[in-house]
Structures are given as C-alpha cells and as structure tokens.
C-alpha cells in the first residue's frame, strides 16, 4: 500500500543520494568565468515518470539561451550544462505499477506541490554547500514548464515569468 508520507519520504531520500554529485557539479560552475551577456542562471529540472535530470542555462532578461561549447572557450560559462544526469527518484516494481499510478493520480496535485518544495529545498541546500551565490548572478530553480520557480539568491518562490523582469 502506498501512502503520501512514505512516497514523499522516499522521494526526498532518493534525491539526497545524489547530493554530493549535484553539489560537486554546482561547485564546478562557480569556478568558470561568465559570458557578459548572461544575466541570470536558470536551473531546470526535467522529469520523466519516476526519474529526473537537471540542466543549467545561462540566460539574458529577454529569455535568450546561451549554449556552451567547450571546444571554443572551455573556461567560459555559456549554459546548457547538465548538472545531474538521469536519476531515479522513486522505484516501483512491475507488479505494483498499476496500484502506484492509481495512488499517485488520486493525489497528484498535492504530491506535485510537495515534490516541488522538497526538490527546491534539496537543490538550495546543494547550492549553498557549493557556494553557488559566489557566482553573483540571479539564479532560479524550477521544474520544466511549471508556473513557479525558486529564487536561490533571495530564497523565495516566484512566478517563473517574473525572473525575466527582475532587476
């Protein structure tokens, strides 16, 4: 039997298994020089069923995405760098899949909100340990195509569209 508390506890503990890797990868981007066109960092979490991966993009305030090409300037940050590869955050045996999805769909809205908070807290903790604020740019983390994101510098939730207007 699945419960919200058990699912969310497992979700959190499975994310935490990847804290060292994420912290190390965030630390590595703090050591780079940043292309002057980059005005903010946009950390996007992409989810697919029971896994996720995280990418960071260097953006300007017009939502222009800059692409990283290590062959051109390997010590300059442009963006589009994968910080965490495909990572499983919850495992379900094949014989429990139907039961799990029935459980999940019945509470999807609540679970999504709580997952988003757990994910942002976990990411913000790794960001802090890596001294991510030393980059000196506005930085946001959020789930791909979600309405809200978390401002890592000001430590607050905001509408994702507002990051393009912040000064």
């Amino acid at each position: 039997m699945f419960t919200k508390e058990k699912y969310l506890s497992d979700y959190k503990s499975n994310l935490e298994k990847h804290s060292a890797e994420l912290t190390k990868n965030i630390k590595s981007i703090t050591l780079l020089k940043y292309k002057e066109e980059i005005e903010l960092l946009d950390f996007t979490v992409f989810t697919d069923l029971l896994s996720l991966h995280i990418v960071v993009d260097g953006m300007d305030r017009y939502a222009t995405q800059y692409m990283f090409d290590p062959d051109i300037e390997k010590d300059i940050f442009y963006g589009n760098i994968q910080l965490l590869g495909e990572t499983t955050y919850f495992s379900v045996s094949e014989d429990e899949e139907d039961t799990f999805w029935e459980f999940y769909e019945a509470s999807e809205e609540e679970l999504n909100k709580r997952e988003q908070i757990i994910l942002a807290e976990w990411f913000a903790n790794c960001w802090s340990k890596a001294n991510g604020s030393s980059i000196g740019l506005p930085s946001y983390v959020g789930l791909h195509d979600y309405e809200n994101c978390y401002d890592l510098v000001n430590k607050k939730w905001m509408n994702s569209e507002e990051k393009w207007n912040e000064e």
Side-chain angles (χ1 to χ4, degrees), residues 14-15 17-26 43-48 50-56 80-90 119 122-123:
N14 285 328
L15 289 176
K17 291 176 187 174
H18 302 281
S19 295
E21 179 184 1
L22 180 60
T23 301
K24 178 180 123 258
N25 292 339
I26 293 170
F43 296 90
T44 305
V45 181
F46 295 90
T47 59
D48 181 33
L50 301 174
S51 65
L52 60 83
H53 70 278
I54 302 173
V55 173
V56 58
N80 197 23
I81 295 175
Q82 183 167 286
L83 291 180
L84 193 63
E86 186 97 7
T87 302
T88 300
Y89 62 81
F90 194 76
L119 183 71
W122 168 71
F123 190 95

Side-chain angles (χ1 to χ4, degrees), residues 11-166:
Y11 177 81
K12 183 177 181 178
S13 66
N14 285 328
L15 289 176
E16 288 171 350
K17 291 176 187 174
H18 302 281
S19 295
E21 179 184 1
L22 180 60
T23 301
K24 178 180 123 258
N25 292 339
I26 293 170
K27 183 70 175 168
S28 73
I29 66 168
T30 68
L31 305 174
L32 298 172
K33 296 178 194 110
Y34 283 74
K35 185 117 174 112
E36 66 183 46
E37 291 88 348
I38 294 175
E39 297 177 282
L40 66 91
L41 297 181
D42 189 27
F43 296 90
T44 305
V45 181
F46 295 90
T47 59
D48 181 33
L49 294 179
L50 301 174
S51 65
L52 60 83
H53 70 278
I54 302 173
V55 173
V56 58
D57 288 305
M59 312 285 283
D60 65 19
R61 293 291 181 182
Y62 300 102
T64 303
Q65 177 182 3
Y66 294 91
M67 304 303 269
F68 179 68
D69 185 347
D71 295 328
I72 295 174
E73 296 172 295
K74 68 179 185 178
D75 294 335
I76 305 284
F77 178 89
Y78 290 85
N80 197 23
I81 295 175
Q82 183 167 286
L83 291 180
L84 193 63
E86 186 97 7
T87 302
T88 300
Y89 62 81
F90 194 76
S91 297
V92 176
S93 65
E94 203 172 297
D95 56 323
E96 291 183 307
E97 275 186 25
D98 289 342
T99 305
F100 172 76
W101 289 114
E102 285 174 23
F103 149 77
Y104 193 90
E105 289 170 6
S107 303
E108 187 168 6
E109 189 173 331
E110 179 186 352
L111 290 174
N112 278 337
K113 285 178 185 175
R114 291 176 65 188
E115 286 168 343
Q116 192 174 13
I117 291 167
I118 290 167
L119 183 71
E121 288 173 351
W122 168 71
F123 190 95
N125 188 44
C126 293
W127 169 263
S128 178
K129 286 180 183 175
N131 197 22
S133 61
S134 69
I135 295 169
L137 290 170
S139 301
Y140 309 91
V141 63
L143 288 156
H144 180 65
D145 286 341
Y146 271 57
E147 185 176 319
N148 295 314
C149 65
Y150 187 75
D151 180 332
L152 292 160
V153 175
N154 296 307
K155 299 178 174 126
K156 66 177 185 172
W157 286 97
M158 61 189 286
N159 182 295
S160 293
E161 291 304 311
E162 291 175 18
K163 65 186 166 195
W164 311 121
N165 303 319
E166 292 278 312

